[in-house]
Amino acid sequence: MKRTFILFTILALMIGIAATGAQAADAKDPIGVVTIKKGEPVHIAYWFVVAGENASLGTDTKRGVEIAIEDVGGKLLGHPIKLSGQDTGCNAEGGQAAATKLASDPTIIAAIGSNCSSEAKPGAPILWKAGITTVSPSNTAPYLTDPARGPEYEGYLRTAHNDKIQGAVAAQFAIKKLGVKKAATIHDGSVYAEQLQAVFAETFKKMGGTITSQEAVSTGSTDMRPVLTKIATGKPEFIYYPIFIAEGGHITRQAKEVAGLEKVSLMGADGIFSPDFYKAAGETAIGMYHSSPDFSAFAAGYKDFLAKHQKKYGEKPLAPFHAHAYDAAMMVLKAIEKVAVKGKDGSLTIGRKALRDALYATKGLKGLTGNITCNKLGDCADPRIAVYQTTADNVKKLEMPDKPFWKPY
Amino acid sequence: MLERLRERITPTDIVMWMIGGSLLVMIIWGSAATLLAGLYTPRHWLDFVIFGLAQGSVYALIAMGYTMVYGVLRMINFAHSEVFMSGPYTAYYVAAAFYRSGLLESHPVLCLLAIFMVSMFISSMIAFLLEKIAYRPLRNAPRLIPLITAIGASFFLQYVFRGLYGSGFQAYPVVKMLEGHWTFIGIRILRFQAVVIVAAALLLAALYSFIQMTRVGKAIRAVSEDKEAAYLMGIDVDKMISTTFIIGGMAAGAAGAFYGIMFKQVHFFMGFIPGIKAFTAAVLGGIGNIPGAMLGGIFLGLIESVGPSLFLDGLGIVAPYQLKDAIAFTMLVLVLIFRPTGILGERLAVKKA
């Protein structure tokens, strides 16, 4: 009897302590807190497309994050950093599934991702509902940081450029450098491609050019010759197709086969700026253009980063967003450092709202891609977009060109 | 007469006919508007038709497998799209080896034949094993069970190949001989499309005459008419079913090799969309009917290529090629409304009803 009584007392005491502890912590942050006990890791998650046709995009950004963690010594405030992740598949369903999985893990402090804008559109609100702030290294669709995006995107930021800039640069390039007057665009119905080609078309028209047609293909389709024949009826001199690797490869291969398009200039965007795209398009990619971040304008630390990348993975980067991912990870780590409250027992307490606010308050952070300063809507990039041209050597060695062909500035 | 007709027509029929009718009106209106606008020259239309024929012959070959299996087993082999994928994905490694060794440059015809054979062999073996391991034990189970098994087998095969060859895609090497185009009597045709169309036509003809004229073909037809009677007549039903799977697999493997030549990219998920399209083609033509599957495949390929421009351009719909798949499935709906048995399916439906 006595023993049971003691047991109950201890149990009650324990519950009481836990309850007061939780209450005290909750009171500090309107959304909730994460408490990391002594020796437990600081858990950060990525949601990238690390499998499938577009795996190069996700692998590239994942490596950026890994190098960033290594650069801080794998530790934050005396706690080891744990990185886990989910594959997103570069589509809305995959983004939703990955975000739901991450949201169910209460130990996750912040997320880095997603890669494709279509993933972020359903995914970011799911994460924010669970109090997880996410920083994307490669979402570029304007909608995600548009004033009309709604409060469910409040926990969303990005270090990638906004496509309002990329689309405009591509249009300037076509008109100023190539001197073309008639252009056509192709998108695949994804948020990224649709908005990017729309910005391109708008700027192109404003600068005095004519858009002969704005076509679309469905993801997974392989026979692009009919749609290209339709485009050929408008006799464009230039085709801009900011889509993804599989469909982009088919268009590049098939464009020159269609009567009337033999001399047309082809241009893609950062989504297909990858050695995997060269694999998909083969020699037909020679001479085509890509709009993508200007590596030559990156900060001095970028060279170091490339050396580390080469050493760690034995190859050059696979896509354009490794540096943005590195910066995103640094941003997250710095913000955690700022808001984490150290307990006497060696624990860390991190308020979710406080972390989100700290991330939005990032100002003048010296990143690889430039100075990172976030605006009210979560656009943090310091975007410099350049145009690259693919040479025969690039295709042969499966390497992206590293020197810009043209810059708008 | 009228009385009897009224009794037979249900309200559902009327609604279906109304849907079908309005779709038809839209199609005719759209086509007329497009043709009147005169944006496309006859040469463009000819190009659309050739592209459609090339794509359609791939669908037709895959559809053969669906329809033949349905004929003998009365089941939809949903794993057939993976049978289609397995051949060209494996043959890619042969193609890449030929390319690296320079053989593809010096002996392109031999290499192409070898790639073709490997693709057909692997696909037919996968189909054979699939039947033996996954479907035969369930031969007498209720109809739904093999269907679910087929879906499971489909996932299994997909992920086995993902595990074997990776989740990324591989690109077929370019065969120089097949690049560029030929011009016949003023008609410009891409070389590999010409090769694919001719080779597929020959294969389809060979398959059809095999089914119609040989003893084995006759036995397969007997099994598909009545398994028990065929058994009583001394036909080895199991063997005939295996043969059916092997033939269907060969057709799919050939289709896969054509696909590799035409589109270059292969990956573990590549079978899904062509598989669904070929299944649609088989239903369009009348499932269980072999010439029907061929016709359905060609028809679907043509509709996908010509349809968006012809039907939707005139209606002022932007970016019509995004709706390519919608058009293909609308065609299926239309055919099923007006001819529930498919284009050539009537005879069969009467016999088996």
Side-chain angles (χ1 to χ4, degrees):
Chain A
M1 189 66 210
K2 207 174 174 186
R3 211 183 285 161
T4 340
F5 178 73
I6 292 171
L7 211 76
F8 267 109
T9 326
I10 292 172
L11 210 72
L13 268 170
M14 269 165 69
I15 290 171
I17 289 166
T20 48
Q23 262 170 10
D26 271 344
K28 272 189 229 146
D29 197 275
I31 301 176
V33 295
V34 193
T35 306
I36 304 161
K37 290 202 195 90
K38 191 178 173 179
E40 279 186 355
V42 175
H43 188 177
I44 294 169
Y46 65 80
W47 46 312
F48 291 151
V49 45
V50 287
E53 292 147 31
N54 294 302
S56 56
L57 188 57
T59 312
D60 187 56
T61 42
K62 188 182 148 209
R63 287 173 175 178
V65 173
E66 283 169 356
I67 292 177
I69 291 174
E70 241 177 47
D71 272 7
V72 297
K75 278 192 166 186
L76 193 71
L77 303 167
H79 290 256
I81 300 170
K82 175 181 162 194
L83 182 70
S84 70
Q86 291 292 339
D87 176 48
T88 46
C90 200
N91 53 43
E93 299 78 30
Q96 187 168 12
T100 309
K101 277 185 205 155
L102 294 187
S104 67
D105 185 345
T107 64
I108 293 174
I109 297 164
I112 299 169
S114 63
N115 281 133
C116 302
S117 302
S118 325
E119 303 158 354
K121 210 176 166 194
I126 294 172
L127 287 178
W128 184 230
K129 225 176 167 182
I132 299 172
T133 307
T134 188
V135 184
S136 165
S138 74
N139 294 157
T140 57
Y143 175 82
L144 295 167
T145 54
D146 193 86
R149 64 179 179 165
E152 65 269 31
Y153 290 92
E154 266 171 16
Y156 174 86
L157 306 93
R158 64 173 159 209
T159 54
H161 52 266
N162 187 318
D163 275 343
K164 279 184 185 156
I165 296 156
Q166 184 175 209
V169 168
Q172 283 167 17
F173 168 74
I175 286 195
K176 284 190 190 156
K177 174 78 187 173
L178 297 182
V180 296
K181 300 246 154 45
K182 285 160 88 179
T185 64
I186 307 174
H187 68 83
D188 61 0
S190 66
V191 198
Y192 159 73
E194 210 208 321
Q195 297 197 339
L196 182 48
Q197 65 84 28
V199 175
F200 170 86
E202 205 179 295
T203 321
F204 195 78
K205 276 189 247 171
K206 239 185 239 158
M207 293 178 76
T210 316
I211 296 289
T212 58
S213 58
Q214 285 169 281
E215 293 299 329
V217 296
S218 47
T219 36
S221 57
T222 50
D223 196 7
M224 308 296 181
R225 292 165 190 116
V227 69
L228 288 163
T229 304
K230 181 169 191 299
I231 286 174
T233 59
K235 300 193 179 64
E237 304 158 84
F238 184 87
I239 305 178
Y240 189 51
Y241 49 105
I243 54 176
F244 291 102
I245 289 173
E247 294 80 20
H250 287 310
I251 289 179
T252 314
R253 272 190 199 273
Q254 295 169 21
K256 302 276 154 112
E257 293 169 2
V258 170
L261 295 180
E262 291 90 350
K263 291 208 177 72
V264 81
S265 301
L266 301 176
M267 184 165 181
D270 44 16
I272 49 176
F273 196 50
S274 157
D276 267 4
F277 170 71
Y278 292 152
K279 209 157 101 185
E283 286 179 3
T284 50
I286 296 169
M288 78 171 286
Y289 305 100
H290 287 275
S291 53
S292 194
D294 183 358
F295 303 126
S296 66
F298 281 1
Y302 185 54
K303 261 197 185 150
D304 263 10
F305 174 88
L306 287 180
K308 276 177 215 155
H309 191 285
Q310 184 71 36
K311 203 174 146 211
K312 194 164 156 85
Y313 305 107
E315 57 183 347
K316 286 193 172 175
L318 299 170
F321 292 108
H322 42 274
H324 299 83
Y326 180 92
D327 288 355
M330 280 301 180
M331 225 174 105
V332 167
L333 296 177
K334 288 261 156 64
I336 293 175
E337 219 164 25
K338 215 188 294 173
V339 299
V341 180
K342 273 191 178 179
K344 275 177 203 143
D345 53 350
S347 69
L348 279 184
T349 307
I350 298 158
R352 291 195 179 276
K353 174 96 178 9
L355 179 63
R356 179 253 173 211
D357 291 345
L359 278 165
Y360 265 78
T362 304
K363 211 173 157 192
L365 177 71
K366 296 246 177 309
L368 293 180
T369 58
N371 274 330
I372 293 173
T373 301
C374 299
N375 71 8
K376 272 193 309 213
L377 295 160
D379 254 333
C380 304
D382 182 8
R384 291 195 193 88
I385 304 295
V387 174
Y388 297 81
Q389 188 177 26
T390 300
T391 62
D393 210 35
N394 294 143
V395 174
K396 210 168 152 200
K397 289 190 186 147
L398 293 179
E399 270 175 12
M400 294 181 285
D402 42 14
K403 287 209 179 54
F405 176 71
W406 183 82
K407 295 181 193 185
Y409 39 86
Chain B
M1 178 75 200
L2 252 175
E3 289 264 307
R4 199 186 287 169
L5 205 68
R6 202 181 295 151
E7 264 169 35
R8 237 195 286 163
I9 295 171
T10 61
T12 332
D13 283 339
I14 296 171
V15 172
M16 292 308 267
W17 280 344
M18 272 161 63
I19 294 173
S22 46
L23 281 174
L24 266 185
V25 168
M26 256 171 70
I27 287 172
I28 292 167
W29 188 0
S31 312
T34 312
L35 291 174
L36 286 177
L39 181 64
Y40 303 97
T41 60
R43 240 194 68 194
H44 288 133
W45 291 119
L46 199 65
D47 278 348
F48 283 139
V49 169
I50 293 171
F51 298 152
L53 278 179
Q55 178 75 65
S57 33
V58 171
Y59 290 157
L61 280 169
I62 310 173
M64 290 285 294
Y66 279 107
T67 221
M68 284 174 67
V69 167
Y70 185 84
V72 293
L73 284 185
R74 297 286 173 285
M75 71 167 278
I76 306 295
N77 178 12
F78 278 114
H80 195 58
S81 46
E82 273 53 62
V83 171
F84 162 74
M85 170 272 288
S86 60
Y89 205 168
T90 311
Y92 156 77
Y93 292 93
V94 179
F98 282 148
Y99 179 70
R100 275 197 301 274
S101 64
L103 268 176
L104 199 64
E105 287 279 296
S106 52
H107 300 94
V109 178
L110 275 180
C111 287
L112 279 175
L113 275 178
I115 291 168
F116 209 70
M117 290 299 159
V118 170
S119 180
M120 280 168 76
F121 176 74
I122 297 290
S123 283
S124 58
M125 279 304 110
I126 295 277
F128 170 72
L129 290 175
L130 185 69
E131 193 270 333
K132 200 133 209 182
I133 296 167
Y135 302 152
R136 185 165 299 176
L138 300 169
R139 183 78 51 78
N140 297 318
R143 273 182 146 195
L144 204 57
I145 289 167
L147 198 76
I148 302 293
T149 312
I151 295 172
S154 167
F155 280 116
F156 174 77
L157 285 171
Q158 254 173 36
Y159 287 92
V160 163
F161 277 87
R162 181 185 159 148
L164 275 176
Y165 303 146
S167 75
F169 63 88
Q170 302 294 348
Y172 262 66
V174 171
V175 186
K176 288 258 158 57
M177 198 182 75
L178 296 179
E179 291 300 293
H181 52 80
W182 283 314
T183 314
F184 298 112
I185 25 169
I187 301 169
R188 180 182 174 282
I189 182 165
L190 291 165
R191 288 185 185 188
F192 54 76
Q193 291 201 321
V195 170
V196 165
I197 293 171
V198 171
L202 289 177
L203 257 173
L204 287 172
L207 274 172
Y208 186 61
S209 40
F210 176 80
I211 299 291
Q212 290 299 323
M213 293 173 192
T214 61
R215 282 180 68 89
V216 179
K218 205 184 227 175
I220 289 177
R221 277 184 293 142
V223 171
S224 84
E225 291 223 345
D226 192 327
K227 246 184 276 179
E228 272 161 42
Y231 182 69
L232 293 174
M233 290 298 133
I235 292 171
D236 186 344
V237 173
D238 278 348
K239 206 166 144 195
M240 284 310 121
I241 289 172
S242 284
T243 317
T244 308
F245 270 85
I246 289 174
I247 294 171
M250 271 164 71
F258 293 146
Y259 182 97
I261 291 168
M262 281 210 290
F263 301 120
K264 313 289 191 293
Q265 288 177 27
V266 284
H267 58 99
F268 79 99
F269 202 57
M270 68 183 263
F272 181 69
I273 290 179
I276 293 272
K277 292 286 173 60
F279 169 58
T280 309
V283 177
L284 261 176
I287 190 118
N289 185 309
I290 291 170
M294 298 178 186
L295 199 74
I298 303 280
F299 178 69
L300 199 69
L302 280 175
I303 284 293
E304 272 190 10
S305 172
V306 180
S309 287
L310 183 63
F311 307 152
L312 299 181
D313 236 21
L315 297 174
I317 290 169
V318 262
Y321 276 93
Q322 210 176 4
L323 299 172
K324 191 173 82 173
D325 300 347
I327 291 186
F329 295 123
T330 307
M331 281 299 140
L332 178 69
V333 170
L334 271 181
V335 168
L336 291 183
I337 288 175
F338 292 112
R339 264 188 87 85
T341 50
I343 301 173
L344 296 183
E346 195 163 46
R347 259 184 320 156
L348 184 124
V350 170
K351 240 183 275 166
K352 283 177 187 152

